[in-house]
């Protein structure tokens, strides 16, 4: 990668910082951001409790912000970075937004829809296809979640 161009790990570190904002608000620590043309155009962190909204997952919040700032509900040629493998709801929204790439940190063996439990991005009956890369900064992302849930047990 050319010098000065942020890597997937660089963007994932930004997503981790967003996840920490969720943790500070007593939300499950998941952070997400949308990058288009090398620029962050939307960011979000889990907020379903504070927003009283079951759809306020980090990915959905980031997609909404990106669509608003781009003035387009289609986010073609964008990459979504998220600290936890997207669930079925989020994977559906990502596909509908026409995101080109998803890069996630921790695998979600209970509800992941990008390869763990389901694999919606690779479902042959769907029209939109996207690239998925899991496990980027997985140790840091998993540690945040583990710490959060250990404190609640």
């Amino acid at each position: 990668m050319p010098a000065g161009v942020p890597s997937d790990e660089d963007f994932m570190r930004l997503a981790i910082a967003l996840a920490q904002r969720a943790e500070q608000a007593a939300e499950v620590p998941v952070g997400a951001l949308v990058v288009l043309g090398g620029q962050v155009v939307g960011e979000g962190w889990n907020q379903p409790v504070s927003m009283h909204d079951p759809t306020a997952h980090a990915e959905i919040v980031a997609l909404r912000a990106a669509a608003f700032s781009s003035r387009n509900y289609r986010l073609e040629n964008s990459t979504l970075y998220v600290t936890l493998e997207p669930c079925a709801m989020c994977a559906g929204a990502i596909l509908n937004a026409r995101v080109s790439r998803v890069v996630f940190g921790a695998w979600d063996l209970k509800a992941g829809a990008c390869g763990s439990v389901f694999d919606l991005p690779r479902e042959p009956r769907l029209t939109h296809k996207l690239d998925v890369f899991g496990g980027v900064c997985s140790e840091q992302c998993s540690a945040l979640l583990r710490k959060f849930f250990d404190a609640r047990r």
Side-chain angles (χ1 to χ4, degrees):
M1 181 149 307
V5 176
S7 67
D8 285 344
E9 291 81 9
D10 294 329
F11 284 120
M12 188 59 73
R13 282 191 276 280
L14 294 175
I16 290 168
L18 294 169
Q20 291 167 333
R21 290 181 73 171
E23 182 181 36
Q24 292 165 358
E27 300 271 7
V28 175
V30 178
L33 53 96
V34 178
V35 174
L36 184 60
Q39 301 295 313
V40 175
V41 294
E43 60 181 36
W45 54 91
N46 267 3
Q47 300 175 60
V49 175
S50 60
M51 294 182 79
H52 310 290
D53 179 356
T55 70
H57 289 196
E59 301 96 319
I60 301 295
V61 175
L63 288 170
R64 287 176 179 157
F68 184 81
S69 71
S70 300
R71 301 176 58 106
N72 193 341
Y73 73 102
R74 293 278 171 101
L75 299 170
E76 295 171 340
N77 303 312
S78 68
T79 299
L80 183 133
Y81 293 88
V82 60
T83 58
L84 179 64
E85 179 183 1
C87 69
M89 174 185 70
C90 293
I94 291 162
L95 287 162
N96 282 312
R98 301 299 193 258
V99 169
S100 297
R101 290 177 72 227
V102 171
V103 178
F104 68 85
W107 294 88
D108 186 346
L109 302 178
K110 293 182 179 179
C114 290
S116 288
V117 179
F118 306 105
D119 200 350
L120 291 178
R122 292 179 194 88
E123 170 56 52
R125 294 170 289 188
L126 298 177
T127 56
H128 180 65
K129 305 297 180 216
L130 64 130
D131 293 324
V132 176
F133 302 93
V136 176
C137 302
S138 64
E139 286 301 316
Q140 293 165 285
C141 296
S142 296
L144 261 176
L145 290 160
R146 201 169 28 257
K147 176 182 156 205
F148 178 82
F149 287 113
D150 284 351
R152 276 151 184 70
R153 291 187 181 126

